[in-house]
Amino acid sequence: MKKGKFIVLEGIDGSGTTTHSNKLANWIRSKNLEVMVTEEPTVGAIGKIIRKYLFSGEGSPPVHALLFAADRAEHTEKVIKPSIISGIIVISDRYVESSIVYQAAEGLDIEWIEAINKFAIEPDLTIFLDVDPGIALARKREVREKFENIEFLKEVRRIYLERIRVKNFPVIDASRPIEVVHEDIVRCVESFLFKT
Ligand code: TYD
């Protein structure tokens, strides 16, 4: 059986990673390919603890980093790897790059964050949805989770853009209407899936 692919969408809160993961999956499905959407934090037990912490403001930066890494380890072993091996195209709404960027914005060393995420696999394609934090937060109906404030998100975006320069991820301007952004994502994934 042909090995699947691993595609990750990244961006600050309110950049539309969830909407676009689902729209991309629908497009891939329309090409008669098998696809699944998954997300981090996950819907599993550790992901639920993370949601509780982010909602209540509990935990310190290293606690967050370790929880995200534990959630990801389980996610990678139980969901992502088996799906790729069975030939499915896996789209993850966030992966390691979110930890590197958000937890570095919380003040942690990138080397340490990378070290505790050593088990993670390299995505075949990572797409960054870029949006100004002011626009992103205005899209959210209610601001409630720990990281959803403008100063923090400005720092998150700055670190994302710095990493992208080095890693050469495709960047898509996500401040535009959903359908226009979707078309750009499709163009990017199409050339990756069918022309490489
Ligand atoms: P997410 O589910 O994308 O946010 P939303 O509640 O808008 O759907 O992620 C929750 C928050 O967790 C978000 O602020 C990003 C943050 N995060 C990290 O700080 N590190 C990580 O490793 C991950 C996966 C998410």
Side-chain angles (χ1 to χ4, degrees):
M1 192 187 299
K2 203 165 161 277
K3 204 171 141 281
K5 295 267 184 255
F6 185 31
I7 300 173
V8 176
L9 295 196
E10 289 282 353
I12 66 169
D13 293 70
S15 60
T17 55
T18 306
T19 303
H20 286 294
S21 295
N22 290 315
K23 285 182 76 69
L24 175 60
N26 288 339
W27 179 80
I28 292 175
R29 221 168 272 127
S30 77
K31 301 288 157 199
N32 289 321
L33 295 169
E34 209 180 338
V35 61
M36 68 166 290
V37 178
T38 185
E39 64 182 332
E40 293 190 358
T42 67
V43 293
I46 305 169
K48 287 203 179 89
I49 296 173
I50 294 174
R51 292 263 173 222
K52 179 176 165 284
Y53 270 51
L54 294 184
F55 188 73
S56 65
E58 266 172 280
S60 61
V63 170
H64 297 151
L66 291 163
L67 283 172
F68 281 117
D71 188 38
R72 180 166 303 120
E74 199 157 74
H75 190 208
T76 305
E77 283 165 24
K78 290 195 174 158
V79 178
I80 299 173
K81 276 189 187 168
S83 304
I84 295 171
I85 288 166
S86 68
I88 297 171
I89 298 170
V90 177
I91 301 171
S92 188
D93 175 358
R94 301 189 179 283
Y95 195 57
V96 181
E97 208 54 36
S98 279
S99 274
I100 291 173
V101 170
Y102 276 78
Q103 276 59 67
E106 286 196 280
L108 298 179
D109 275 356
I110 289 186
E111 293 71 27
W112 182 73
I113 305 166
E114 281 175 334
I116 62 169
N117 281 282
K118 273 268 161 66
F119 60 83
I121 59 173
E122 193 67 40
D124 296 300
L125 176 67
T126 301
I127 298 174
F128 176 63
L129 302 183
D130 187 36
V131 66
D132 175 82
I135 297 175
L137 281 179
R139 287 176 178 169
K140 296 231 141 197
R141 255 161 300 165
E142 42 176 334
V143 175
R144 50 184 185 97
E145 281 186 346
K146 181 171 167 49
F147 301 137
E148 294 173 358
N149 74 75
I150 191 134
E151 288 314 316
F152 186 77
L153 290 183
K154 277 186 185 164
E155 180 61 4
V156 169
R157 184 190 189 207
R158 188 188 67 74
I159 304 172
Y160 261 131
L161 291 173
E162 215 171 67
R163 304 258 318 155
I164 281 153
R165 231 173 292 134
V166 179
K167 297 214 140 200
N168 241 330
F169 295 144
V171 179
I172 290 176
D173 173 4
S175 63
R176 298 168 300 159
I178 289 176
E179 286 310 323
V180 181
V181 175
H182 174 63
E183 274 169 30
D184 276 3
I185 294 173
V186 161
R187 221 166 289 139
C188 190
V189 171
E190 194 167 34
S191 64
F192 159 73
L193 284 180
F194 302 116
K195 289 171 199 148
T196 53

